[in-house]
Amino acid sequence: MMRNSARQHEHESQRKTTIPITVRQLEAIIRISESLAKMSLSPFATEVHVDEALRLFQVSTLEAAMSGSLSGAEGFTPENDQEIVRKIEKQLKNRFPIGSQVSEQRIVQDFVKQKFPEHAVHTVLHIMLRRGELQHRMQRKVLFRIR
């Protein structure tokens, strides 16, 4: 079901996409299926429950991912933004040595002056924070580079 809709989207948009699903999301589909079974007082999840869980997943997550509204979430960066994100990350790592700190506002302003999209700069900062490469300090105004 998910692969078919992704394949159809690829054909319509003339570009290759990946199916944005993680282990955590698969586990969520299983939990939703089990919950639907419990709501109908069934001891086991049936194919009907799984189909409904997949439908709910598709409506809530896949459509948002394909429309680009999940941009910035790890694993959901649109293909055309990925190259920009890589450039910003590489330049940021070159300009911001390990053990140094700099104002987040200044980083954003510097990259925007270089004509990079502000949302892409925030995406890079978010990704690096989640990876543990950066850390917020001084009431989230300053970034400290850890690694």
Side-chain angles (χ1 to χ4, degrees):
M1 179 175 170
M2 291 184 289
R3 292 193 189 281
N4 289 339
S5 65
R7 196 173 297 123
Q8 181 181 1
H9 178 72
E10 284 177 3
H11 181 69
E12 291 170 0
S13 66
Q14 300 282 325
R15 62 183 186 150
K16 183 91 170 130
T17 58
T18 58
I19 298 175
I21 190 163
T22 64
V23 172
R24 185 176 289 173
Q25 290 167 326
L26 286 172
E27 290 171 344
I29 291 170
I30 292 167
R31 285 192 301 277
I32 293 169
S33 300
E34 292 170 343
S35 296
L36 291 167
K38 287 178 183 178
M39 287 174 27
S40 63
L41 303 177
S42 298
F44 303 102
T46 65
E47 188 175 338
V48 173
H49 300 122
V50 174
D51 287 342
E52 178 62 9
L54 287 170
R55 187 192 69 77
L56 290 169
F57 174 80
Q58 184 172 15
V59 168
S60 65
T61 307
L62 283 180
E63 289 181 8
M66 288 181 181
S67 70
S69 61
L70 288 178
S71 180
E74 194 168 332
F76 293 106
T77 305
E79 204 172 303
N80 54 344
D81 286 352
Q82 287 178 3
E83 186 60 33
I84 294 170
V85 166
R86 277 191 283 271
K87 285 180 183 178
I88 294 170
E89 183 175 0
K90 183 179 178 184
Q91 191 174 359
L92 183 63
K93 285 180 176 179
N94 288 337
R95 292 177 48 198
F96 189 23
I98 294 172
S100 63
Q101 59 185 27
V102 68
S103 159
E104 183 173 353
Q105 183 180 8
R106 183 170 179 205
I107 290 173
V108 173
Q109 288 174 348
D110 286 351
F111 279 97
V112 169
K113 282 181 186 175
Q114 296 176 48
K115 305 294 186 215
F116 286 107
E118 187 173 342
H119 74 85
V121 178
H122 286 291
T123 298
V124 170
L125 295 175
H126 175 73
I127 290 169
M128 291 179 75
L129 283 162
R130 288 200 50 166
R131 281 192 215 138
E133 296 174 10
L134 297 176
Q135 196 176 65
H136 274 120
R137 294 209 172 153
M138 299 171 130
Q139 299 175 340
R140 299 179 62 94
K141 293 180 182 177
V142 173
L143 290 168
F144 179 74
R145 177 136 182 240
I146 298 170
R147 54 186 167 135

